[in-house]
């Protein structure tokens, strides 16, 4: 796996913060996307999902039912997840 540059590390940190809200202590792996499109951070556990992060720090969360390429296509087409969707219910 290649080393992430500082910009990719910043984007990965955005996804890590969202995953921390959803699943504390998640085991994560970061994949840089081609052409400077951002990064994809995967929760490696079964059913974990993926968060794609654009250079502007907007994100798309996709569940594990959607494979990497399908999620990437949606992300590159501009589909995004609103930040309020990452808040865990308290009750």
């Amino acid at each position: 796996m290649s080393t992430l540059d500082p910009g990719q590390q910043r984007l990965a940190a955005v996804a890590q913060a969202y995953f921390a809200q959803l699943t504390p202590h998640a085991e994560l792996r970061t994949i840089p996307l081609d052409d400077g499109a951002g990064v994809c951070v995967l929760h490696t556990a079964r059913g974990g999902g993926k968060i794609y992060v654009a250079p502007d720090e907007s994100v798309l969360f996709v569940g594990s039912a959607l494979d990497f390429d399908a999620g990437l296509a949606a992300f590159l087409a501009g589909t995004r997840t609103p930040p309020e969707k990452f808040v865990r219910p308290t009750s």
Side-chain angles (χ1 to χ4, degrees):
M1 182 175 150
S2 62
T3 303
L4 300 176
D5 67 33
Q8 293 166 333
Q9 290 173 7
R10 175 182 56 83
L11 298 178
V14 170
Q16 291 163 359
Y18 282 126
F19 269 120
Q21 292 177 37
L22 299 172
T23 309
H25 312 295
E27 290 189 34
L28 305 174
R29 183 170 67 115
T30 302
I31 299 172
L33 302 177
D34 291 338
D35 301 324
V39 299
C40 178
V41 178
L42 299 89
H43 181 196
T44 59
R46 182 178 174 105
K50 297 169 270 313
I51 297 177
Y52 297 84
V53 186
D56 67 358
E57 297 186 8
S58 63
V59 303
L60 172 63
F61 173 83
V62 297
S64 61
L66 204 60
D67 71 22
F68 179 85
D69 291 329
L72 179 60
F75 175 73
L76 294 175
T79 305
R80 298 295 187 264
T81 303
E84 58 271 12
K85 295 286 186 179
F86 291 96
V87 177
R88 292 184 88 170
T90 56
S91 55

